[in-house]
Amino acid sequence: MPIPYKEQLLENEKVFRDPVHNYVHVQHQVILDLINSKEVQRLRRIKQLGTTSFTFHGGEHSRFSHSLGVYENARRIADIFVRKYPKEKLDENGWDDSERLVTLSAALLHDVGHGPYSHTFEHIFNTNHEQVTVDIITNPQTEIYQILNRVEEGFPEKVASVITKEYPNPQVVQMISSQVDADRMDYLLRDAYFTGTQYGQFDLTRILRVIRPYKGGIAFQANGMHAVEDYIVSRYQMYMQIYFHPVSRGMEVILDHLLKRAHKLYQSDSEYFERVSKRLVPFFKDHYSLEDYLRLDDGVLNTYFSEWSDYSDSILSDLANRFLNRHPFKSITFSDETRNQLAKMQEIIERVGYNPKYYTAINSSWDLPYDFYRPQATNQRTQIEIILQDGTLKELSTLSPLVQALAGQSQGDQRFYFPKEMIAPAKKQIDLFDESYQEFSSYIHNGELIKPE
Ligand code: NI
C-alpha cells in the first residue's frame, strides 16, 4: 500500500539556511509542497516590517523568512514535547504527536494573508489580513487549499481553525498564538537581527528547554522563569524602540495619505489609474476578489508610487515623492490636556497652503507588554503560566517583580504629524508666511505640544 500523503517524509530532510535559527528543517512532503506554493512564495515579495526599514535600513527581510522561522520554532517545540512529554506517558497533560502536521501547517501559514504594507493598506481599503489568511487556506482555488485537502478532507478548515483559535486543542492554539508563541519568538529575534539592534535578544534555547505542555495549553518550568522574563522585557524594548519608532510612523502616515489621495482621485480620473495602476483598481472600486489581492506585493505598489510621482495632481505627486525619497512627516507628542490645540495647529498648516486632510495625522501606537487574566478585559489574552515542582501553576507576574511592573499597562504614545517644512521652511516661504511659522513653533517645546504663552 502506498504511504498516505500526510505521512510521506522526505527521503533526505530538506534544510534552509537561516541567520536566526541556523537551519530550518523540513521533513514532511506536505510542508515542502506548502513552501513551494505560489501563495507562500509571494511572501518573499513582502517585507516583514513595512516602513520600519526607512528607519532601520537593515530591516528588509521578508514575510517568507519569518514564516519559515515560525514553522521551525513550532517543529522544535513539537520535537521536545514528543520526546519529553508524550501523551502516552502523561495522558491529558501530554502532547499528542498526531497534532504535528496541523500545527506545523498553521505555523507556516499563519501570516499568508498579509499584503504589501499591510496595516496601512488595511486601513485604506478595509481589508483584513487575518480574514484573508483564512480565505487563502479554505478557498478551493488556491494551491495551499489543494495541498491541504490532499492530506484529508476537512484538513484546510482544521488548519484555519488553529489560526482563528477555534481549534479544540489549546496546546496547538497556544503554540501558534499566545503571549509566548512560535510567532513572537521568531519575529523578535529576526527583527532584532535584521534591524541590527540588540533589544530583541533573549535566550530561545533556554526557553525551549523549559517549555512544556499541560492539559490547558503551554506552560514553563519554574527554573526557566528568568528566560521568560527576559523575553517579555525584550519584547517591550522592541515595541518601544523599533516598532513604534516615530520616523517609521511618519513614513506610514505619508503612505496612508498617498493611498487615500489615489483612492479619491480614481473617482474623477479612472482612466489614468486604470492605465498606470491596474492592479489597484478593484480596491479603488471596493470590489475585489482573493485573486486580485494575491496579485499585489511591495514591488507592484512601489512601481505605482513611482508612476504617481509625476501625475498632475500636486498632492498625489508630492506625497509619492515624499514616500519614494524618504521625507517623513515630523511629529510631536500630545496629551489629553493639550489635544484641543491641534485644531489651531491644523489651521496654521492650512493657512500656509497644505490641505490638513493629506498633510496632518494623528497616529497612536500602544501595546500591552504583558497581560494576565482580567475578567473585565475586552481582549482576553492567555496568561503565561509557570509550573512549579509540585505541578501547580502560577501566573508569571505573581513570581516576577520585573514582569509585574510591566503587566496590564499599555505603553506607547500618541503623536501629531505634519510636514517638516512647518518647522524648517524653505527660504522663499519664510518671507510669505513668517509669522505663521513662528506661531506654529510656539506650540512646540521639547518635541511636545504645549500651550503657547
Ligand atoms: Ni507572524
Side-chain angles (χ1 to χ4, degrees), residues 48 63 66 70 110-111 114 183-184 187:
Q48 173 77 6
R63 294 209 178 266
H66 165 63
V70 178
H110 79 287
D111 274 343
H114 269 289
D183 181 22
R184 293 176 180 200
Y187 75 66

Side-chain angles (χ1 to χ4, degrees), residues 172-378:
V172 174
V173 171
Q174 287 179 28
M175 206 192 297
I176 309 302
S177 179
S178 61
Q179 296 199 77
V180 197
D181 59 26
D183 181 22
R184 293 176 180 200
M185 288 198 285
D186 182 77
Y187 75 66
L188 292 177
L189 293 174
R190 190 169 301 279
D191 297 346
Y193 176 87
F194 282 100
T195 55
T197 56
Q198 303 300 321
Y199 317 113
Q201 299 297 338
F202 61 92
D203 192 350
L204 176 63
T205 313
R206 179 86 189 137
I207 290 188
L208 294 183
R209 284 190 64 81
V210 298
I211 192 169
R212 57 162 300 167
Y214 75 100
K215 73 170 189 259
I218 284 174
F220 300 86
Q221 289 170 56
N223 59 354
M225 189 195 72
H226 294 297
V228 180
E229 186 179 64
D230 190 34
Y231 154 91
I232 298 287
V233 174
S234 289
R235 185 170 180 281
Y236 164 72
Q237 297 272 10
M238 283 297 280
Y239 273 82
M240 296 304 120
Q241 313 228 34
I242 314 286
Y243 304 135
F244 292 171
H245 198 286
V247 175
S248 316
R249 285 154 65 193
M251 290 301 289
E252 204 179 297
V253 165
I254 289 178
L255 179 63
D256 182 276
H257 290 1
L258 173 62
L259 290 169
K260 187 164 77 176
R261 186 65 180 170
H263 196 182
K264 167 115 170 61
L265 291 171
Y266 174 78
Q267 321 303 325
S268 55
D269 190 2
S270 57
E271 188 273 327
Y272 169 80
F273 289 95
E274 264 151 35
R275 185 159 43 82
V276 310
S277 32
K278 203 170 120 220
R279 291 182 179 194
L280 275 177
V281 169
F283 299 89
F284 290 145
K285 287 184 173 164
D286 200 22
H287 194 82
Y288 60 89
S289 63
L290 184 57
E291 222 183 319
D292 295 328
Y293 188 92
L294 290 170
R295 280 201 191 101
L296 299 177
D297 57 44
D298 289 357
V300 170
L301 286 202
N302 290 339
T303 306
Y304 293 168
F305 300 159
S306 162
E307 286 287 347
W308 299 347
S309 72
D310 42 39
Y311 183 62
S312 56
D313 175 77
S314 63
I315 296 181
L316 189 78
S317 57
D318 178 52
L319 292 173
N321 277 303
R322 284 176 194 257
F323 189 76
L324 292 170
N325 303 319
R326 192 197 178 275
H327 295 305
F329 282 167
K330 282 275 173 202
S331 67
I332 49 173
T333 55
F334 63 92
S335 65
D336 290 339
E337 289 87 68
T338 53
R339 185 186 200 108
N340 56 7
Q341 319 228 57
L342 292 176
K344 185 72 196 150
M345 294 186 91
Q346 283 183 322
E347 204 187 295
I348 304 170
I349 288 170
E350 192 160 17
R351 200 190 306 151
V352 306
Y354 295 108
N355 179 343
K357 199 171 156 197
Y358 295 104
Y359 285 90
T360 68
I362 287 172
N363 179 293
S364 309
S365 290
W366 299 100
D367 179 61
L368 267 171
Y370 172 67
D371 205 9
F372 44 81
Y373 174 72
R374 291 176 299 157
Q376 256 70 21
T378 45

